Amino acid sequence: MSQVLQNQMDKRQAENKQVAKKPILIARDLKRHYEVGGGMFSKSSTVRALDGASFTLTPGRTLAVVGESGCGKSTLARVVTMIEQATEGALEIEGDAIGEKLAQGNKELRAKVQIVFQDPYGSLNPRQSIGKTLMEPLLINRPDISAKERETRARDMIAMVGLREEHFDRYPHMFSGGQRQRIAVARALMLDPKILVLDEPVSALDLSIQSQILNLLVDLQDRLDLAYLFISHDLSVVRHFADDVMVMYLGKPVEQGSMETVFSQPRHPYTKALLSATPVADPTRKSKRIKLSGELPSPMNLPQGCAFNPRCWRASEKCRSTRPVLTGAGDGAGTDLGDHLAACFHPLEDED
């Protein structure tokens, strides 16, 4: 590892020890709506892909976002990485309002948040060597850095993610799926970000390789003090990787809290159903599978009241007429993951 990269790591670790960790990213009521259809003989409809998410990301911690396909996880990832701009709500990174800075084309702000995609092969250019792939972000965002410095940092990053020096000149098709994902992680770290958005980063890999990539991510988080937004549908992975959890259903968070609390004492029926569908490694432990009735409603035609009420075994008339908000032991704002929050009029108790 070069002395330059080592100095950057030592500097960040020293800064982390000197000050108490504060949230690096604050999201308040983020929404992303899409207008679909509409023409000469039809009206347009609004798809509420993301409909009010509030959370914080703190250096050294991982927030996992879980839920069924279509719940808004990937939309949230695109908004946080500034690939798309929120329809409503506020997003701040180190005190900078995203909307204002993006209007100015701020590359420095974009560099603070990087993403690792699900498909490690589809996210890499097959016609470009690994060395050029890693140097490209610096070429675009840091034209002040010399070609020699770019190459040095790329080679250092290859070593940091567990690959060998001779891999620098090879092409993506020459690597296994796990090696490609290591390359994708290395590329995301080239601009020295403070936040990594991990969009299903291990779901396309074999189980044995999954653990290797997760261990790498844990090690990098400890060394670089990164904040992770971890998108996943696999609760068994989330259980061992995340610090905090946000459960989403049809674009809205329905439960938030620490991983230990949410997994051991779920308050929302939807969370309970998700957990009951997760395989348990202990053969002596018996758990009852909760089978939800009905199908996932269309995001273009959400039911009145709580969106989960058509499939919920605890739904009442109030659930069918009024939409619940996240409430818990705190102020109910939904931004403090120290609280256990749930959007439910009839939350589950321990005996449930």
Side-chain angles (χ1 to χ4, degrees), residues 55-284:
F55 58 92
T56 60
L57 294 179
T58 305
R61 293 185 67 84
T62 299
L63 169 62
V65 182
V66 302
E68 294 173 283
S69 297
C71 72
K73 303 188 299 293
S74 295
T75 301
L76 177 62
R78 290 196 296 271
V79 171
V80 171
T81 52
M82 292 164 274
I83 295 174
E84 296 185 17
Q85 192 163 352
T87 305
E88 296 180 29
L91 186 63
E92 295 181 3
I93 298 178
E94 293 188 316
D96 289 328
I98 296 299
E100 299 174 3
K101 294 293 183 179
L102 284 186
Q104 303 169 11
N106 195 298
K107 290 185 178 181
E108 184 178 340
L109 183 61
R110 289 181 181 274
K112 294 180 180 179
V113 187
Q114 296 295 301
I115 186 169
V116 177
F117 294 100
Q118 177 180 4
D119 183 2
Y121 187 75
S123 62
L124 299 175
N125 187 344
R127 299 183 178 182
Q128 200 169 60
S129 69
I130 300 309
K132 289 184 178 180
T133 295
L134 296 185
M135 290 188 290
E136 190 172 43
L138 292 176
L139 184 64
I140 296 173
N141 294 275
R142 295 292 306 275
D144 56 305
I145 295 180
S146 67
K148 184 177 181 180
E149 289 177 307
R150 289 197 298 269
E151 181 177 342
T152 299
R153 180 165 177 81
R155 292 185 181 276
D156 287 343
M157 202 58 67
I158 284 177
M160 182 179 287
V161 298
L163 297 176
R164 298 192 300 272
E165 185 176 353
E166 58 264 29
H167 291 154
F168 184 86
D169 294 313
R170 296 182 183 177
Y171 290 81
H173 72 274
M174 305 170 73
F175 295 90
S176 66
Q179 290 175 321
R180 291 172 192 159
Q181 198 61 296
R182 290 175 184 269
I183 295 166
V185 172
R187 180 180 58 184
L189 294 175
M190 285 298 293
L191 293 176
D192 195 25
K194 299 187 177 181
I195 301 168
L196 275 192
V197 177
L198 307 168
D199 191 1
E200 302 273 9
V202 297
S203 62
L205 306 176
D206 294 337
L207 288 177
S208 60
I209 306 300
Q210 285 186 14
S211 62
Q212 295 176 20
I213 298 301
L214 291 174
N215 288 336
L216 171 65
L217 291 171
V218 170
D219 178 60
L220 291 172
Q221 186 176 50
D222 291 340
R223 296 169 68 180
L224 302 176
D225 204 42
L226 297 165
Y228 286 162
L229 182 67
F230 184 69
I231 311 292
S232 180
H233 68 277
D234 190 339
L235 297 188
S236 60
V237 172
V238 170
R239 184 188 296 271
H240 295 95
F241 187 73
D243 299 298
D244 306 299
V245 177
M246 180 166 67
V247 182
M248 294 188 66
Y249 185 79
L250 287 175
K252 292 185 70 67
V254 296
E255 187 160 0
Q256 290 179 232
S258 68
M259 187 279 297
E260 294 87 351
T261 304
V262 172
F263 275 59
S264 62
Q265 300 173 5
R267 297 183 63 210
H268 198 282
Y270 178 62
T271 306
K272 182 75 171 180
L274 287 179
L275 290 171
S276 74
T278 305
V280 180
D282 186 356
T284 63

